[in-house]
Structure formats: C-alpha cells, structure tokens
C-alpha cells in the first residue's frame, strides 16, 4: 500500500518505462526514480518548502535540481500524459481550490517562455 503522498503500484507501473535514467538510456543510470518521484510528490502535495523534504528522500537540493532538469526536458508533461490516460486516476480532477490566480494576473507582463513543467509555450 502506498503512503499518503506516494505513487500507487499501478501508477508506478504506468510511468516507469518513460522515465529517464534506465540502463538502456544514454548517460547516468538513475539510482531510484520511484523514490525521487515520491519526493517530488511529497513536496507538491504537502505544500511544504523543498528544504522541509524528509531525509528518507535524500538531499532536498539534489531532488530540486533533478526536478528542474526534468521540467526543462519535458519529462513531467510525459508523466502527466501517461497518467491521465487512465480514466480511474483520482488525481486528474482540478477545481478552484487547486488553481488560483491573483486578481491582477489578467494583465501579466510576459515572463519566461518555459512553463514550470518544462514545455515551451506555443506562440
């Protein structure tokens, strides 16, 4: 049974093949992708600061740096696409308690061309 903020076995089996760092991939082999993904989920779902990440997940700076690299590479978008294909996925729902915008956000001044999850905005 998965802990409160961690992936279920079904979710893990869905995303494991698409994650970077497998032995067949070029570059460094990931030690434990599941532990890393669960660390990211812990931070995002708990709303805690990265520096409050429990020690069982490893060094928070290392986790954050890897999170940022995956965002830049578009890995998180691939994960979301894979998980949203399952109609029974309980984390697909988004409501107003999750998405909030400041009242002045309608007149934004631009900003970075890359969204948080790593996919460039289309012009």
């Amino acid at each position: 049974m998965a802990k409160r903020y961690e992936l279920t076995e079904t979710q893990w089996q869905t995303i494991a093949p698409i994650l970077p760092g497998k032995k067949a991939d070029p570059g460094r082999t990931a030690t434990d992708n599941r532990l890393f993904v669960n660390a990211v989920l812990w931070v995002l779902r708990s709303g805690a600061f990265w520096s409050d990440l429990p020690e069982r997940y490893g060094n928070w700076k290392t986790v954050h740096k890897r999170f940022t690299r995956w965002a830049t590479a578009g890995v998180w978008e691939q994960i979301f696409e894979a998980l949203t294909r399952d109609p029974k996925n309980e984390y697909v729902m988004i409501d107003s308690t999750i998405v909030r915008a400041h009242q002045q956000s309608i007149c934004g001044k631009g900003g970075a061309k890359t969204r948080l999850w790593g996919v460039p905005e289309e012009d």
Side-chain angles (χ1 to χ4, degrees):
M1 178 171 192
K3 292 184 180 180
R4 183 177 193 179
Y5 296 125
E6 297 184 351
L7 291 171
T8 65
E9 189 60 34
T10 304
Q11 291 169 329
W12 174 246
Q13 294 302 323
T14 302
I15 68 168
I18 62 174
L19 299 179
K22 296 180 292 296
K23 289 183 181 181
D25 293 344
R28 189 172 179 179
T29 301
T31 305
D32 191 347
N33 274 338
R34 187 172 188 166
L35 183 66
F36 164 69
V37 172
N38 285 334
V40 171
L41 290 176
W42 186 92
V43 170
L44 298 179
R45 291 180 180 170
S46 70
F49 293 107
W50 284 99
S51 58
D52 293 334
L53 186 69
E55 290 181 17
R56 70 179 177 266
Y57 293 118
N59 183 317
W60 71 268
K61 287 183 181 183
T62 305
V63 173
H64 181 264
K65 185 182 289 187
R66 189 171 172 194
F67 166 80
T68 304
R69 283 196 318 258
W70 279 25
T72 303
V75 175
W76 295 113
E77 287 292 329
Q78 294 173 7
I79 291 171
F80 295 145
E81 288 173 10
L83 290 175
T84 56
R85 287 187 205 119
D86 179 11
K88 296 180 183 178
N89 190 336
E90 61 189 82
Y91 296 108
V92 173
M93 186 182 84
I94 297 178
D95 62 20
S96 64
T97 62
I98 296 173
V99 180
R100 296 182 189 261
H102 189 272
Q103 64 184 4
Q104 296 169 343
S105 66
I106 59 169
C107 60
K109 299 289 183 185
K113 295 295 181 193
T114 302
R115 296 182 305 179
L116 177 62
W117 294 106
V119 175
E121 294 282 342
E122 293 186 21
D123 293 331

